[in-house]
Amino acid sequence: MFLLGLCLCLIPFSLGNQSPYFAENNSVAFTMTNGFEDKTRSRVQRQASFLQRRETKPQVAEFIVKSTIMSRYAFTAVSCTMVNRAAEAKEGIFQMLIPAAAFVSNFTMIVGGRTYHSEVTWRKQMANEDNEFRNNNILGNGENGENGMEIFKASASIPGRNKAVFLLMYEELLQRRLGKYEHAISIRPQQLLGRLSVEVNIFENSGITALEVPPLRNKQRTKNTDTISPPPSTAINQTNNFARITFNPNVIQQAKLSQNGILGDLVIRYDVQRELSVGDLQVLNGYFVHYFAPTDLPPLPKNVVFVIDTSASMLGKKMKQTKEALFTILQDLRAQDHFNIIGFSNKVKVWQQNQMVKVSPNNIRDAKKFIYGLYPTGETNINEGIHVGAKLLNNYLASNGTHEKSVSLMIFLTDGRPTIGERNSPKILSNSKSAIQEKFCLFSIGFGNDVDFSLLEKLALENCGMMRRIREDEDAASQLKGFYDEIGTPLLSDIRIDYPPDSVQYVTQNMFYNYFNGSEIVVAGKLVNRSSETLHVEITASNGNKYVVLEADIKLEGVGQAEMIGSEVIEDKNHIERLWGYLTFKELLTSWHKSDTIKDKEEIIDKASKLALRYHFVTPFTLLEMKDSEFQADLPKEESTSLSMDGIGQKLLNLQGKKAPQGSSPRKPSKLRASVSKTSADGDPHFVVDFPLNKMTVCFNIDGEPGDILRLVSDHKNSGVTVNGQLIGAPAPPNGHKKQRTYFSRITIILNKPKRSYIEMTPSKVILDSKDRLILPTDKSTTVKREDLIIAVIANSNITVTIQGTISFVILVHHYKNPAPYQRNHLGFYISNSKGLSSNSHGLLGQFLYNDVKITKVQATNQTSDNRSGSTLNAVTLLSVRNRLVPVIRKQRKIYNGLHQVDCWFAKNNAAKLIDGTYQDYLMSHLFDCGSDLITNEV
């Protein structure tokens, strides 16, 4: 459907059909194509030498697809892991067939452990590029797509003995055809795999019916198979509202299906339960979608003209299959229908001149004779074929339209491009639009590989029809018949769906020329009042000579934030809002095609681009740029040598959005990458300060209040580092001496040098705000590098923040599987390396970094009334720090996630006299407060 331009910035790989050496230019073209080759524009690599062809290529180690369908809207994520076992770098090529109607929403590559994410940017100068866009629509790379599919292709230079993971995400609204929705997933890894997995989850609020998974579909196994048994290893689990389909073939099962790894399409078809009223309306987060698909209505009479290409290029199998399909279609015409047949090449042949013929056995017989006598010869005059067909229908409607309510259609089939007569595509479009005058719809069929699909698509879009692609080496006759079946039974015409204007806004198309049996009308919009309980719906339409009016007040029931399926949860992807964005953009694209002035096109481009950027859709108005996200995928050493990729792609599939893969295989939680000192604040919170020169450890408690924000380290004037921690409350354990417990629920690190950055950590995620926002979950191992800043997350264990290579903090993540009432998920803060912090550092921990301490014992005595010494009591232990003497006692403290104990000197009374000032001096106004300290170490 469109060209995907993808510019790479400063990264060593190429996309599409480009040579890897193009990467030196820092801008490499990347295309997603419909698989039909344009020999005049495609760039193909030169033939490789024989020795190069014998070299070992990177192999696919893992191919995983996960798809979630919610209310007919499908999200699909594909992960492909490739391994280069050669000593030198090799080019790994990833390609995936995706539905032509889908929008790519994310593409990410992890190459040699480094992650590159995609960003959608605005494509400029589109208004004047009508011709170029149309040509680019069919820009090919020598690869052939399947019917209704496009090829997404990317390549990367994989370092020797290393791996690459390609992650692609796309989404689409499933179309209802012949009474069923169809979701197809291409499985063509081009080799047999040790791990191949496809999982599809379907959730439909109104209930699932007629679920079927036929055999894999490819050139050998097409739609029309005698059996509908699922492919081997397929498992289907279904309830009323939910279905899960899994396909996990082992190597032997794959080999039985295909020796070359080109298995075909996994196809899932289903329908939903529906009420015979105004349809199904669903609401989520202020957006609604309305599905309308009435049944059991008498079919409308139709007037159909078949305009068939009979040029020389149709000779042979194409014409034979076309004739077979027409013979079958003629048998399906109803007695109240009218029809005619036109063949066009250099000349135009009309079966019955200047009239539409009523269906009768004799007329069907004569029409078949005419079709049988059509012989391919000459060139292709598309303009004249459409003109003659339009004239036939217009003349008939002019004389019969006043007393007959029917639906008029033109079905136009060609296998090529205009070669004679009018050959300028914009002129053909203009002429066709003027001839049709919005009085009927044109449905176009492109047959074979040499068709101007963009022209056919625009012909259909501008004249209320649709376009279908058919490959000549498939069972074309059945596909032609199938396409006719979709539009062969019109049930309603002139449909209008209305809602109160003060209740809804931004409503998508709500007026439709026709409704065909087995299809569906979809309208989406935004509610003005999200708390409304009902929405009034009024539908008007025509069914023959009857005028149909349907009205109802529909109760607004949301589809839920998340639906529990067994022990698992289908996450809310805000699918109804994205469905609205999908439909709105499709309509803007159609308007752009139809608009005649540059000003109108520019206004449409502005709206469409903003919408595409908002939802991260790759469209004809946007570009997909690859950028180094500075992730370092953290692979354990033992895995990096074995080249095993088990489970890595699986974890990536849970991600959505712009920043995709957050890491790799999780490590054991008990393994800490950085060395952790004893200087820390952890637990209730318990503070521990290590004085290594004095071989002594001091500890104290801070009994704060829930919500308090404590200054832990402050050195913003010198190293530019500030650390704050916020407390969360919990009930005290039974029979304890405290009224409540407090833990650190959030820890923030503010950096002023070299660039300002903010890091916020919770038990579930890390948020980095610098040049852009990055959110890292704590249950996935990840390393992020930004200039002089490194953030390393070890899954479910700890977070290490390294600043300028001389300052390191380790934040332990404490999770409770079954927490007691007095327990809370919390964080522990440890100073691992303080060399980069200045001697003027302060804060509850920072003030002790450059101090000496020593222990002294003083004998306590009683004083008599005349000030003479009395009896001698036990000795008192005093800690000498910063010219102060602080009473201390010996204690033990647990640190390092509770696995280690440390002996320390404990200061009582909320660290009175131990810390400078009082506890209140360390309270901050907010988490990112790094202002002037009330007290400092400065002289």
Side-chain angles (χ1 to χ4, degrees), residues 251-268:
V251 174
I252 296 175
Q253 291 168 326
Q254 294 172 47
K256 289 181 179 179
L257 293 168
S258 172
Q259 292 287 339
N260 59 9
I262 303 177
L263 304 185
D265 297 328
L266 179 67
V267 178
I268 292 107

Side-chain angles (χ1 to χ4, degrees), residues 407-580:
V407 172
S408 298
L409 313 171
M410 179 190 294
I411 298 179
F412 177 82
L413 181 147
T414 183
D415 75 330
R417 305 163 184 269
T419 58
I420 194 170
E422 182 60 67
R423 289 181 287 179
N424 180 266
S425 293
K427 188 66 175 175
I428 293 173
L429 290 168
S430 176
N431 292 343
S432 301
K433 192 173 182 179
S434 298
I436 293 172
Q437 301 174 15
E438 298 186 350
K439 293 182 180 179
F440 54 88
C441 297
L442 184 151
F443 297 84
S444 59
I445 302 172
F447 198 166
N449 297 344
D450 301 320
V451 185
D452 187 344
F453 286 104
S454 177
L455 173 61
L456 296 188
E457 185 176 48
K458 293 189 75 172
L459 279 170
L461 284 175
E462 293 187 1
N463 298 287
C464 72
M466 58 184 176
M467 187 268 287
R468 186 63 50 83
R469 305 170 182 177
I470 294 178
R471 287 176 51 86
E472 59 185 289
D473 54 355
E474 296 179 359
D475 187 2
S478 64
Q479 290 197 50
L480 287 168
K481 176 61 169 60
F483 180 62
Y484 171 79
D485 289 344
E486 292 180 31
I487 60 176
T489 309
L491 298 183
L492 295 173
S493 63
D494 303 322
I495 306 104
R496 181 185 178 102
I497 303 178
D498 287 312
Y499 314 93
D502 58 346
S503 299
V504 297
Q505 57 185 346
Y506 309 125
V507 177
T508 59
Q509 177 185 349
N510 66 332
M511 299 177 65
F512 304 87
Y513 286 96
N514 302 302
Y515 166 72
F516 299 101
N517 187 40
S519 65
E520 184 173 58
I521 290 174
V522 184
V523 182
K526 188 175 183 180
L527 296 173
V528 173
N529 183 4
R530 297 178 64 166
S531 60
S532 299
E533 295 182 357
T534 60
L535 179 64
H536 183 76
V537 177
E538 179 179 314
I539 301 175
T540 58
S542 176
N543 177 248
N545 296 321
K546 300 177 182 177
Y547 195 65
V548 179
V549 179
L550 300 173
E551 279 189 271
D553 291 319
I554 300 180
K555 187 176 181 180
L556 299 181
E557 295 179 343
V559 297
Q561 293 293 320
E563 302 292 342
M564 183 69 71
I565 307 299
S567 60
E568 300 186 21
V569 174
I570 293 182
E571 295 181 0
D572 167 38
K573 299 177 184 293
N574 213 17
H575 61 282
I576 292 183
E577 180 183 348
R578 295 189 71 85
L579 186 156
W580 169 84

Side-chain angles (χ1 to χ4, degrees), residues 170-186:
Y170 60 89
E171 52 196 81
E172 63 171 325
L173 176 64
L174 301 184
Q175 302 295 314
R176 188 171 184 256
R177 292 172 178 166
L178 301 177
K180 289 186 179 180
Y181 305 98
E182 181 176 292
H183 184 52
I185 297 173
S186 175

Side-chain angles (χ1 to χ4, degrees), residues 366-402:
D366 293 343
K368 287 182 178 180
K369 290 181 180 179
F370 175 80
I371 294 170
Y372 186 79
L374 292 175
Y375 184 79
T377 183
E379 299 187 71
T380 308
N381 194 336
I382 290 177
N383 187 76
E384 188 65 15
I386 295 175
H387 175 74
V388 173
K391 186 177 179 181
L392 270 175
L393 279 171
N394 282 324
N395 289 341
Y396 177 79
L397 292 175
S399 59
N400 297 277
T402 55

Side-chain angles (χ1 to χ4, degrees), residues 743-770:
Y743 305 93
F744 283 118
S745 62
R746 296 177 183 269
I747 291 176
T748 56
I749 301 175
I750 304 100
L751 308 179
N752 289 333
K753 300 177 182 179
K755 294 183 179 180
R756 196 167 185 85
S757 299
Y758 302 89
I759 307 167
E760 180 180 356
M761 289 158 283
T762 71
S764 61
K765 61 187 175 183
V766 180
I767 302 174
L768 169 61
D769 276 307
S770 54

